[in-house]
Every structure is written in C-alpha cells, then in structure tokens.
Amino acid sequence: NRMIAAKNILQRLRNHRTHLGLTQHETAKSIYKLVGKKISQTLVSRFETNQLHPKNTMNLMPEMEEWIRKTRLEYQSLK
C-alpha cells in the first residue's frame, strides 16, 4: 500500500534527521547538496508531519529515500 509506505518514510526521515542531530533547515540544505532537490525547512516540516497533499508526498518520496540512504552511508563512513 502506497500510503503505508508514505507514513513509513515520514517517520524514517524524522527519526534519521534527529539521530543525525540536524534541524529541519539543515536537512533541507543537505537534501539540496546531496540530492539536488531544492526544498525549504517548511517543506521538510510539512513532509515529516504528513501535512502535504498525498500526491506531493509521493512525488518527494524518492528524493527523501535517496537522502536517507546517502546520509546513512556518509554517517557510517565517519564511524
């Protein structure tokens, strides 16, 4: 189910961001740097709290997944 997948990524993004100690603003800048998608702190907030239209959430999911994957790899390489 696509909505279950969406809720999963919302939680994973927030958990991953806070685990890294990043603010939503820092996360937005990092997404632009690592994924090339320019987004705002407000969009990160609305994504994490499921306040976007479902279509917009679905459209952002690939970039958010990519950012989680890239930062997880980057974080692990620093350990």
Side-chain angles (χ1 to χ4, degrees):
N1 184 320
R2 293 178 68 175
M3 288 312 294
I4 292 172
K7 287 196 182 282
N8 182 313
I9 184 68
L10 304 177
Q11 291 173 333
R12 284 182 41 229
L13 179 73
R14 183 180 180 98
N15 291 342
H16 185 64
R17 174 183 66 76
T18 57
H19 178 73
L20 295 176
L22 297 175
T23 65
Q24 290 172 340
H25 179 75
E26 292 167 331
T27 300
K29 287 176 25 180
S30 178
I31 289 168
Y32 179 62
K33 178 182 171 191
L34 295 177
V35 181
K37 177 94 172 161
K38 190 164 179 81
I39 66 170
S40 66
Q41 173 273 321
T42 303
L43 189 60
V44 173
S45 173
R46 292 181 70 205
F47 185 85
E48 288 183 350
T49 57
N50 199 23
Q51 294 179 359
L52 295 174
H53 186 280
K55 182 179 176 184
N56 294 336
T57 297
M58 295 297 176
N59 288 340
L60 283 170
M61 282 176 56
E63 285 90 356
M64 299 304 191
E65 288 276 11
E66 183 180 355
W67 180 80
I68 290 170
R69 183 179 53 78
K70 286 184 174 182
T71 53
R72 184 170 288 134
L73 291 171
E74 196 173 283
Y75 179 75
Q76 288 173 346
S77 71
L78 296 174
K79 283 187 162 184

